[in-house]
Amino acid sequence: MNTTITNATEYRDLPLDLLTESTTNPRRTFEEDALKELAASIRTQGVLSPLLVRPLNERSFEIVAGARRYRAAQMAKVATVPVRIVNLTDAEAMEAALVENLIRADVHPMEEAMGFARLLALDEPKYSIEQLAARTGKNPAYVSARLKLTELAPVVVESFYRDELGVGHALLLAKLQPTQQEQALAACFKEDWSAGGQRAKRILLPVRSLQFWIESNVLLILKEAPFDKRDAQLVPAAGSCVDCPKRTGQNKLLFSELSKQDSCSDPNCYQSKVSAYLAKTIAAKPQLVQISTAYGVQKEGSTTIPRNKYVAIRDDKPKSKDEATRPEFKVCKFAAEAIITEGSDVGTVHKVCANPACPVHHPKPKSNRDDAKWKAEQERQRKEVAIANAIGIRVLSAIAAAVPVRLMKRDLLFVVDRLASLLDENRITVLARQYGIRKAKDSDSIGKLLAVYLRRAEEGVLGRVLVELTILHATARQNAAQVLRDAAAVYKVDTDAITLKVKQEFAAKEKAQIAKKPVSKPQPKAAKKVKAA
């Protein structure tokens, strides 16, 4: 058979054994059922659209576009297929194959990504993202996002090819560092045990759930960073945050779906800069007191003072006379600048008093006291504690109601069970009462009753309990009011409204108790005895 090409473009029928598939074809997945349907169509109607091929030699042609039609024709056992023969360079063939696949709805996004990546890697001609977008009829943001898919971790790629993930999930995961992608992949799913059986049904959560998880667990808001974002020499290998492609504000095409605030998407790099900043600051100011926001015992040989060993002096003015009497609003001669080296807000500088002999912040208890005044003060403090506890429990409940479902039930049960076992009896009782669990006289311990309840609970309840347990553990080691305020801010709980309502309820109870007390009648004065004359 004569296969000499006389024109730049030529149409003819070629035997299947003269055709070979291209090694650079972006398509890697071929659905068996779809191929069988196409083969059935070819048997009755033939190949309606010619394959695009380029000559390799006189007896061999490479398929540029039409690999599915070629495979279906093999299944249909036809002798020849119509082709369009065009002389193309390697770059032109790759570009034509990519464009051909892009116009078909069944092409996998990973195949698009690999096609774009191969074209971008060519030395001649040299493409830019903008040129690729123009050639393929896409916008630069689309091409940039697809190219990012080539950075997916292998485990994510496998899940993506198995259609366990949507393209929206894959695009979000691709924006994370490889070490974070596997953890984030687990956050894409939840387990549904409602159908019964020994195995749970794995359900893919919406893209917005993954987005929320990334914003809560990965992204770090740069305006809260203690270090200078422009300092390229703080960690020379990392460079300046201003020019970093992992900064959401620097690469808005890539991170458009994520946090609107300028954030860092690489926690490891962020932490290395915080550590470098700490070392640099302490070296420049060795007189800085090093403090932790966590309570506990100071480790032997450590220069970091735990939270229970110092008083943080506030810069803002007290809002009431009662606040003005509190130690944190007072200044003493021992006050010194301190830098947080452990816990939350690492790297920030505060004023503290860490001298246990300070009469202002660590006053000695008075030995002589007025019992009546002391009792009244104790009662006032007891009432304040009761109100604070009631407010705390109410805020905790409101926060729990705002917790979305995230983890799988297996994970939730594992974490909740172990966290609950570490709580003291009082906090376990507080948590149990939130869910109507009360201990009868001769029943099991409140901890066991709570454990039984949790094993039967749905995922949404377990998620709430997990947040409540975390808060209760934090209140045991840190300032309880501050812990609740921080948690309330995250879950947008109105603590002022809850505080007002609780105080009104306590006032109403007190008023009712006073009204119930019987009014005691005054005793008649004893008559004076008349002396006998």
Side-chain angles (χ1 to χ4, degrees):
M1 179 180 179
N2 182 15
T3 57
T4 303
I5 301 169
T6 56
N7 302 310
T9 300
E10 183 176 336
Y11 290 88
R12 66 170 67 173
D13 288 341
L14 286 179
L16 290 179
D17 58 5
L18 296 185
L19 303 178
T20 58
E21 291 190 47
S22 171
T23 57
T24 59
N25 182 11
R27 181 183 287 276
R28 287 289 178 268
T29 55
F30 296 87
E31 293 184 9
E32 190 69 18
D33 291 341
L35 282 177
K36 288 178 180 178
E37 289 179 10
L38 184 55
S41 173
I42 290 173
R43 287 190 193 99
T44 57
Q45 302 181 47
V47 178
L48 301 178
S49 179
L51 286 66
L52 178 63
V53 302
R54 64 170 180 162
L56 297 177
N57 52 55
E58 290 186 355
R59 298 291 298 172
S60 179
F61 297 83
E62 181 183 71
I63 300 170
V64 176
R68 283 183 74 252
R69 282 165 279 167
Y70 168 71
R71 292 192 180 198
Q74 287 180 317
M75 293 175 70
K77 296 182 179 179
V78 298
T80 62
V81 290
V83 300
R84 177 189 172 208
I85 306 172
V86 181
N87 284 307
L88 297 171
T89 64
D90 289 345
E92 289 170 338
M94 288 173 62
E95 186 179 316
L98 179 61
V99 172
E100 168 76 12
N101 280 289
L102 282 174
I103 63 175
R104 299 185 181 276
D106 61 344
V107 67
H108 196 279
M110 278 303 301
E111 294 169 349
E112 286 183 74
M114 298 307 295
F116 281 128
R118 287 193 189 98
L119 284 172
L120 203 63
L122 289 174
D123 292 326
E124 185 60 40
K126 197 70 179 174
Y127 290 101
S128 66
I129 288 177
E130 289 72 18
Q131 287 171 330
L132 282 180
R135 291 285 187 126
T136 56
K138 303 292 182 180
N139 61 55
Y142 180 95
V143 176
S144 179
R146 284 294 188 270
L147 285 167
K148 195 68 180 173
L149 289 178
T150 61
E151 298 178 23
L152 284 173
V155 65
V156 181
V157 173
E158 289 174 16
S159 186
F160 194 21
Y161 268 128
R162 289 195 299 265
D163 292 328
E164 295 174 351
L165 293 174
V167 65
H169 298 85
L171 288 171
L172 280 177
L173 291 171
K175 293 165 188 178
L176 305 180
Q177 301 306 303
T179 54
Q180 300 160 353
Q181 290 184 23
E182 189 170 348
Q183 187 181 6
L185 177 62
C188 294
F189 304 95
K190 74 169 184 177
E191 287 187 346
D192 183 9
W193 294 84
S194 60
Q198 295 183 348
R199 295 190 67 181
K201 183 180 178 182
R202 200 179 188 209
I203 297 175
L204 180 64
L205 294 167
V207 174
R208 65 177 178 274
S209 296
L210 176 60
Q211 183 176 330
F212 179 86
W213 187 92
I214 292 172
E215 290 177 352
S216 304
N217 296 276
V218 178
L219 297 186
L220 295 160
I221 299 172
L222 281 170
K223 74 175 183 180
E224 297 176 359
F227 53 83
D228 181 4
K229 276 71 74 179
R230 293 179 175 79
D231 188 355
Q233 298 305 314
L234 185 61
V235 178
S240 165
C241 295
V242 176
D243 304 318
C244 182
K246 292 177 283 188
R247 180 172 68 86
T248 60
Q250 199 271 346
N251 198 340
K252 292 183 179 179
L253 277 180
L254 186 61
F255 293 102
S256 58
E257 305 96 331
L258 293 174
S259 176
K260 302 302 178 186
Q261 299 192 67
D262 195 7
S263 304
C264 171
S265 65
D266 188 350
N268 292 331
C269 180
Y270 183 95
Q271 188 55 50
S272 69
K273 288 196 173 186
V274 171
S275 300
Y277 169 78
L278 278 177
K280 183 178 178 181
T281 305
I282 293 170
K285 292 184 176 181
Q287 73 276 14
L288 280 174
V289 179
Q290 297 178 39
I291 59 174
S292 170
T293 56
Y295 289 71
V297 179
Q298 188 170 357
K299 296 175 183 177
E300 188 176 351
S302 173
T303 56
T304 302
I305 302 172
R307 181 67 185 86
N308 47 302
K309 296 294 183 181
Y310 66 86
V311 174
I313 301 169
R314 293 173 58 168
D315 294 327
D316 55 321
K317 293 182 179 180
K319 297 177 182 177
S320 64
K321 290 182 179 179
D322 182 56
E323 274 196 349
T325 62
R326 295 178 185 174
E328 61 262 34
F329 286 99
K330 295 179 180 180
V331 181
C332 69
K333 64 180 180 179
F334 302 107
E337 280 194 328
I339 187 167
I340 299 177
T341 57
E342 294 178 8
S344 57
D345 300 323
V346 171
T348 56
V349 176
H350 305 268
K351 189 173 285 186
V352 302
C353 173
N355 191 327
C358 175
V360 176
H361 295 105
H362 301 278
K364 292 180 181 179
K366 295 179 180 178
S367 55
N368 297 324
R369 67 188 183 204
D370 186 316
D371 284 344
K373 286 184 179 179
W374 181 80
K375 287 180 180 179
E377 177 62 21
Q378 290 295 304
E379 178 61 24
R380 185 186 69 78
Q381 290 180 8
R382 185 201 63 76
K383 184 178 174 182
E384 284 184 357
V385 169
I387 291 174
N389 286 341
I391 292 169
I393 292 170
R394 202 78 60 87
V395 171
L396 183 64
S397 180
I399 291 168
V403 176
V405 177
R406 294 289 161 223
L407 301 178
M408 294 182 285
K409 185 171 183 178
R410 175 196 61 198
D411 306 315
L412 287 166
L413 270 174
F414 175 80
V415 177
V416 165
D417 186 51
R418 277 147 186 79
L419 284 177
S421 68
L422 298 174
L423 279 183
D424 58 53
E425 187 77 11
N426 290 336
R427 286 182 168 81
I428 280 287
T429 303
V430 168
L431 182 62
R433 286 180 179 175
Q434 293 278 80
Y435 298 93
I437 303 168
R438 284 176 170 78
K439 180 181 177 298
K441 287 184 179 179
D442 300 324
S443 67
D444 291 330
S445 69
I446 194 72
K448 286 185 179 179
L449 293 173
L450 179 62
V452 171
Y453 172 81
L454 292 175
R455 289 190 187 96
R456 297 173 181 171
E458 295 180 354
E459 289 178 48
V461 174
L462 290 174
R464 294 174 185 175
V465 174
L466 178 58
V467 173
E468 290 177 298
L469 281 168
T470 303
I471 293 170
L472 288 170
H473 273 285
T475 58
R477 293 164 178 78
Q478 302 174 27
N479 182 282
Q482 186 60 49
V483 169
L484 284 169
R485 279 197 296 272
D486 293 343
V490 171
Y491 291 101
K492 297 180 174 58
V493 170
D494 189 348
T495 54
D496 292 336
I498 292 174
T499 301
L500 179 62
K501 189 172 181 180
V502 169
K503 287 183 176 179
Q504 288 172 344
E505 289 173 2
F506 268 76
K509 280 184 183 178
E510 197 172 277
K511 189 175 180 181
Q513 287 173 353
I514 292 171
K516 284 182 182 179
K517 286 183 180 179
V519 179
S520 57
K521 295 180 181 180
Q523 295 290 328
K525 292 181 179 179
K528 291 182 180 180
K529 292 181 180 180
V530 180
K531 290 183 180 181

